[in-house]
Amino acid sequence: QVQLVESGGGSVQAGGSLRLSCAASRSFYCMAWFRQAPGKEREAVASITGDGTLTGPDNYADHVRGRFTISRGKAENTMYLQMMSLKTEDTAMYYCAATSPSCLSGLRAPHEYKYWGQGTQVTVSS
């Protein structure tokens, strides 16, 4: 049974940083971070394929590009999201997602990912 477990969420003041981690029970070529704020739809934040060497601007949502960095661990069953210069509007539940065997490049819609974690809450206060 595939499991994705997120960690690293918490409360931080605006301008602060957090690093989210996702540990999967097996490696996936395609992984991504999504977030969902109360009353809003789930949205893609960043995506990564393979070892991450092809990650570029198109792998980030406009409102996080330049502030967030997605990366892999040494094993392709781990993924990270370094979040810097956090804003109050970044407050949301953040989800790790993965799919196999392949995926299209760039940010994809939630339905394109088969596996999901339970989420980790990020709260940014002013």
Side-chain angles (χ1 to χ4, degrees), residues 16-28:
S17 301
L18 282 173
R19 188 190 194 212
L20 304 184
S21 299
C22 174
S25 54
R26 67 170 180 88
S27 63
F28 287 95

Side-chain angles (χ1 to χ4, degrees), residues 3 13 19 23 30-31 33-34 39 43 51 53-55 66 82 110-111 113-114 121:
Q3 286 189 319
Q13 289 193 322
R19 188 190 194 212
C30 310
M31 299 186 77
W33 288 100
F34 286 77
E43 62 175 2
D51 62 5
T53 54
L54 298 180
T55 303
Q82 179 68 50
H111 72 267
Y113 289 85
K114 294 179 183 178
Q121 178 67 38

Side-chain angles (χ1 to χ4, degrees), residues 83-98:
M83 305 186 295
M84 303 182 69
S85 302
L86 283 161
K87 305 176 181 181
T88 55
E89 50 264 43
D90 293 319
T91 294
M93 185 71 79
Y94 283 71
Y95 296 91
C96 170

Side-chain angles (χ1 to χ4, degrees), residues 113-126:
Y113 289 85
K114 294 179 183 178
Y115 307 105
W116 292 84
Q118 294 299 307
T120 185
Q121 178 67 38
V122 172
T123 302
V124 185
S125 59
S126 59

Side-chain angles (χ1 to χ4, degrees), residues 55-113:
T55 303
D58 289 345
N59 292 96
Y60 295 94
D62 290 344
H63 43 276
V64 306
R65 191 178 298 122
R67 299 189 297 121
F68 291 10
T69 302
I70 191 170
S71 64
R72 291 275 201 178
K74 290 183 178 179
E76 288 190 358
N77 65 332
T78 56
M79 178 179 65
Y80 304 100
L81 186 68
Q82 179 68 50
M83 305 186 295
M84 303 182 69
S85 302
L86 283 161
K87 305 176 181 181
T88 55
E89 50 264 43
D90 293 319
T91 294
M93 185 71 79
Y94 283 71
Y95 296 91
C96 170
T99 197
S100 62
S102 62
C103 58
L104 297 175
S105 61
L107 294 179
R108 313 309 305 173
H111 72 267
E112 297 187 45
Y113 289 85

